[in-house]
Every structure is written in structure tokens, then in C-alpha cells.
Amino acid sequence: MSFLKKEFKKELDKPTYVYGTQTVELNTTIRKGEKHSFKFYPSRIWSSRINWRIAITCFFTVLLIQCAIITFLLHSYEKHQLVGLKEVGRSELISMITAQNQATSKKDFPVSRAEAERLFSSSKITGISIFASNLAHLQNHGQKTTLQLQDVASGEFKNNYLSPSGATYEVVLRPDDLNRPYIAILQFDTTYIKGDVFEYVQEAVLIILLVSLFVTIVIVVSVGNFLLSPVLFMRENLLRAIENPENPKVEDSPFATNNEIGESIDLATKLIKQNAENIRRIKSAAEDKIHKLAYYDTLTNLPNRTYFLQSMVKLGHGEDGKTMGRFCVVTIDLDHFKDINDTMGYNIGDAILRAVGKRLRSSLPESAIVARIAEDEFSVAMPLTKDVTDGREIGVRISNVIKSSPFKVFTEDFQVRASVGVSTFPDDGTDVEQVLKNSDIALNRAKEEGRDLVKEYSEDFDRAVQQRFQILRNLRDALEHDQLLLHYQPQIDLRDGRIIGAEALIRWWKPDGSKEGGSFIPPIEFIPIAEQSGLIVPIGEWVLKTACESAAIIQEKGYDMRIAVNVSGAQFYQSNLIGYVENTIADSGLKPSNLELEVTESVFMDDISHAITTLRNLHGLGLELAIDDFGTGYSSLSYLRQFPIDRLKIDQSFIRNALNNPDDASIARTIIRLGHSLNLKVIAEGVETYEQQAFLSEENCDEVQGYLYAKPMSFEDFDAFIEECKGYVPDVS
Ligand code: C2E
Ligand code: MG
Ligand code: MG
């Protein structure tokens, strides 16, 4: 599994990354089919958009600057030409005026017509106006000038004037300019300047374009080499990093790092490599963690069930991987671990589990695989060798390791024992799961046979398990098809022989196609299975309902008799027990005191405070409560005082042996006294002989039940039995 998943969608150009639940779109375009290997092709530089932008900007900037310079130069060229014209005109005029004056001595006409005509033909002068220094007009030759001397008089005197078309240019030469007492206005033909300028511009444009082109090329090539190439190189590396961030095929930078760009590329390359390294590290750490979570138990750090099964497969392949390995699987369940958890709390329970795991691991060889496969279940798989050929031997060793010394948790010592099941591969199956299951079946057998035992798997166990499944299936059918019925065994007051009631005992009539049509299956064969599967709950409800209805019929006949109903542990902890009992009594019309519920001691011990509450609630309904099979469990006398019970029922084993085993007689006696001291009635069950009856009578037992008086019978027979003996059994002294 990869935490960082890259998705390049072929049809899309944008690469996206999926990091956890976030999708990040990278704002980078990768052209379809583009191979990201960097080459310094000039074409790459020329095809770069940024390069074109730089080129265009550069070209026009240089062009603009040159145009500005040329414009300025043209202006000063024109000015320079005009100044030159004025100078030429001035010197020509001075020499003409001087010559004329010397020739004619006529100061009033400084320039002769002939002179003026010669001037016009030899120079660019096209018109002359001459004024005396008092502004009186003296002469006019050639073109009429535009400048008027009145302007000079009005103070708006202009020194020169260029016509808007640029065809003529006029200048005013004053007495200071001419060194004569005249003012002259000269007009020049300037059309030739335009031609010159045009020629000049034509040449300049060509030069400007060439210069712009040259500068652009120089800049583009420089930018391309010094800037764009490194940027393109960096882009290539980044694209590769995006394509495969974990293993980017980045090239080392060929650029010198003694400048900012080279340094940046070098840093970026290092960053990409660092990032890849980080991703690899995170990924590998995540994978390690996932592996640990998937294959190890977090409490004990031992392999879990999945890993254990995989390891078993490896062991099964043998050391050389060709021959089949032989190994044993030992499954260990800590006895009464639930009690430790319930009474001491989960902290202690967890600490014990950790300690057991540690002890198992350290006491077994390296070749053994030790795993925790369920809450308080450990499994060990260990290769069988020439020295150790028997899995049972290992099972016993493990059992001893656990109970060899108590486990110290905080300051307390806990003596832990375990039930152990052993199976062998390939003797008990070639499928590892099956072998593990078989060790579990063996373990269950060890638990059933009294715990703290080591049992090796046998096919018979399997058959027993199959049988249980079959019984469960049939029992479900029986419940649905009314094959269950109740028998009633009378209970008698020992003092006067009065029938005080009966115990309802379930019977399963199982049709089998035989001559008799079927047979009764004893409750001992199916009640424990029903209890384990939870089927006891609907069965118990049916028993209660049927017993109440029967008791109500007897009640209607005028007999005040009580029917005792057995309630098993699973029913006792059923959340709606109180409500169901209350409704059932009400529906049947039975007086609540004519119903008694029998519960065994072991049921209370699972959760004493809950037991007290439930018993109080049940008692609150007005019914009676009895402790069944009293003396076989391990009731605490202090709790017994808190239970709102009416009756102790001495277990039949004590009655059976009372006459030949003084211990049992003394237990029976003690129970009777204890019951009386707590103001409880005491009933003895399993009374079969007059001697037993005499013993109980002697000991002041209150009530009796047993084959001596009547065996359990159908309701009709019970009904007839009461009628027959008018509610009293004979021979009770
Ligand atoms: P239990 O409640 O202790 O019932 C007394 C058992 O002793 C009954 O066996 C009864 O037939 C037997 N018994 C009575 N008198 C004598 C006698 O003098 N000698 C001998 N040898 N046995 C005698 P049963 O009917 O086979 O029931 C066995 C157990 O199955 C019951 O023991 C009870 O724990 C359970 N059970 C029976 N019916 C129900 C039921 O409806 N619900 C639940 N939860 N358990 C039931
Ligand atoms: Mg009973
Ligand atoms: Mg009993």
C-alpha cells in the first residue's frame, strides 16, 4: 500500500497527487508523450514563449531608443543646415553691399539688381529685402519675403522663419550682423534639406533595424544561455520529480554554482532528492507500522493469528522448502481469565497476558512461533524433531511453564493455570487452518473435562463437535415443531406429605422412525449446548410460559401449588428477563407466589451485584426463588444473606450418599441448618429411599422431591396424580 499515490491522467495535462485523502493539482503542464530528458537544443530556447517575449520587448525597445536618437539628430541636422545658410547668405550680402557702395557710393541702394540676380543663381538665396536702419524700405529683389519689418517694430521681431512646408527659410540680418546700417531679410530655398533628410532617414532606418536585430539576438542568446537553459533544466528535473517523486530520475546540474541561478538549480535538485528520500522514509515507516498492526498483537507484541497462520504455512514447507515439515500446534487458554478480568480489572488482566506471552516466548526455543490468537488464547507452533516427536510433550511442558510459578503483577501474585489443546501437522490435517482449529477442539475438550489439562486432538473430538452442531440444528427444529414438552416432578412437604408443587423439567421427544416412534433426549444432553449457543433463551421463555399455563390450570382447580422452573445463566443475564416473567405471570393469571424460579449458585457468581439486583427485582414480582444444586458451587455465605431467596435445594449427590458417606451426610445436615438459620426453607432432591427420607426427617428438612414419591411425569399424569391422592402422598412420616 502506498501512502503517496501519484496519478498522471493521460488525457489531462495536469498531474495530480493523492496524499492521504487530499488531491493536489500541480499547476504544471506536461505535454502528452513528452519525454523528460534534458538536452541543450537551441530549438528549445527558440521555442520558449518567454524567450519570444524577451526578444520582442528587446527589439522594440532598442528600436524606440534609436528612433528617438535619430529624431533628435535630424532636428539638429536641419538646424545646422539653416545656420549654415544664414552664415553663407550673410557673408555674400556683406561682400555685395561693400562692393556696391564702393562702386556707386549710393548708400541708398546697397545691392544692385544684377548683383542680386547673380546671388540668386549662385546660392540658395531666393529673395532679399533691404531696409535702412530707420526701417525705411530700400530694396526688394527676387521672391517677396514673408517676414515683415513692422514685426520688428512692434517688438515681435523674429530672427528667422521656416515656412510650414519647409520649402523656404527666412533670416533677418541686422546692422550688427552686416556691419552696415541696413537691415536685410534673406529668403532661402530649403527644399533640398528635405531631400537630404529623407535620404538620411532611409539609411538610418536600415541601420536601426539591423542594430535592433543584432542587439535582440545578442540579448536572446545571452538570456537563453545564462538564464533560460538553467531554468529549462530545472523545469525538466521538477517534471521528473512530479512524475516519480519517490525515485525521481534527476540529473546533476551542469551549471556552475558560483552564481545565483546555478546555485538555485543546485538547491532545487538537492531539495528534490531530499524530498524523495523523505517520502521513501515515510513510506517505509508507514509500511512497517501497517505490517506491525496487521501481523502483531499490540498488547503482547507477539504475532497475531494471521501471522501465525502464515508462519505455519512456512513450517509446513519444511526447512529445505521441498519436503513437508512436521510440527505441533499447541493452543493455550488461561483458566478463569474472565474472572480475573472481572474482579481485578482490565489492567491486571492485560498485565497477566503480557507476562504469560513473555514467559512463553522466553521458555521456548527460537524455532517455536508464539502467538496470541484471541483474548486469553495463545498458540505455539513448534517443529517436531528426532528428539521431540510428540506434540503432547510440548503441551505438557507449556502447561508446566505457566503454572510453575505465580505471575507477579504490581504487588500481587496470580497463580495462573491453563487448558491446553495439541494437534500435529500433517498428522491432524494438511491445511494449517484445520490444524489450528483441531488444536482448539482439543483445547475445548480440556476445558470441558475440568480445565488445567493437556488434551491431544483426536478425531473423536471432531465427531463430538459435529454431533453438537447436529443437536443444535435438531433442537432448533424441535422448538419450531413442538417437539419439546414439560414433565412435572412433585415436591412434597416432609412433615405431612402434602404435595406443595412440582418442578417443571424439560423433555425433548425426538421422532426417529423406531417402533416407539421416537425417544426422549435427556436435558443434560441438550441444555448445555442450548446454553452455549444462546438457544436457551427462546427455550427458557417457552418453558416459563408452558409451566405458568399448567400451574394456572391447577390453581383454577383450587389447589394452591407452586411450579418450580429452572433458569439457566444465559437467561438470568438476559436484559428483559424481569419484564418477560412479569408479563408471562400476568398473561397466565397465575398467582405470582405459585411460581418459583430455580437458579444454580454458579450463575450468581459471574456477577454478584447484578445477581442481587436481578433477584431483588424478581422477588419484587411476588414469586419465590430457590438456589438449585446447593452445596456443589462455591457460594459465599456473606453474599447468601444478601440474596432475597426463599429456598435452598440440596444437591441430590449429597442425598444419594448421605447414608454411606458421613461427609455428604454432614454437608446435607449443615445445609439444612444454614437454611433454617437464614429463615429459608430447605428442599432435598433425588430422594429415592425411605432411609434417605428418614434421615432428612430426622434433620428437619422441610421438603422433598425424588423417585420415592414420583418420577417426572406429563402434565396430564401430574394432574391425575394430584386428584388420585387428593393432594397428599402416603407414607410420609
Ligand atoms: P435439576 O434442576 O437439578 O433437576 C433435577 C434432576 O434430577 C432432574 O433430571 C430429575 O429428573 C432428576 N431427579 C429427580 N428426582 C430424582 C431421583 O430420585 N433420582 C435421580 N437419579 N434423579 C432424580 P432431569 O430432568 O434429567 O434434568 C436434569 C437437569 O437439566 C436439571 O437438573 C436442570 O438443571 C436441567 N433442566 C431440566 N429442565 C430444564 C429447563 O426447563 N430449563 C433449564 N434451564 N434447565 C433444565
Ligand atoms: Mg432444578
Ligand atoms: Mg437440582
Side-chain angles (χ1 to χ4, degrees), residues 304-409:
N304 62 12
R305 192 191 168 85
T306 317
Y307 192 69
F308 186 67
L309 284 169
Q310 287 182 7
S311 307
M312 281 168 76
V313 172
K314 274 188 204 153
L315 281 184
H317 283 134
E319 274 177 25
D320 53 8
K322 287 173 195 151
T323 53
M324 201 180 250
R326 188 161 178 268
F327 63 90
C328 69
V329 175
V330 180
T331 297
I332 306 129
D333 183 280
L334 307 184
D335 293 341
H336 303 296
F337 181 73
K338 191 178 173 302
D339 294 348
I340 298 179
N341 243 354
D342 290 350
T343 52
M344 307 303 293
Y346 285 99
N347 280 351
I348 302 278
D350 286 355
I352 290 177
L353 287 174
R354 268 196 296 268
V356 169
K358 229 178 191 170
R359 194 183 283 185
L360 283 175
R361 185 58 276 177
S362 60
S363 62
L364 291 165
E366 270 298 299
S367 59
I369 299 146
V370 181
R372 180 176 172 227
I373 57 163
E375 197 203 351
D376 60 337
E377 259 185 52
F378 293 86
S379 273
V380 173
M382 197 167 136
L384 293 170
T385 58
K386 279 183 212 120
D387 303 332
V388 191
T389 52
D390 186 12
R392 191 185 158 73
E393 211 180 304
I394 296 166
V396 171
R397 211 202 293 173
I398 287 174
S399 165
N400 290 336
V401 159
I402 290 175
K403 61 185 172 193
S404 60
S405 61
F407 289 90
K408 204 171 188 71
V409 176

Side-chain angles (χ1 to χ4, degrees), residues 482-501:
D482 298 329
Q483 287 170 6
L484 297 180
L485 46 129
L486 283 188
H487 276 185
Y488 298 84
Q489 186 178 30
Q491 295 178 334
I492 289 109
D493 188 323
L494 191 54
R495 283 176 195 90
D496 54 12
R498 188 172 56 91
I499 301 168
I500 50 166

Side-chain angles (χ1 to χ4, degrees), residues 504-530:
L505 295 159
I506 195 166
R507 296 292 177 263
W508 177 7
W509 176 254
K510 193 159 172 266
D512 56 9
S514 65
K515 226 179 355 178
E516 292 79 20
S519 61
F520 279 116
I521 298 176
I524 198 72
E525 276 185 28
F526 65 88
I527 290 289
I529 299 172

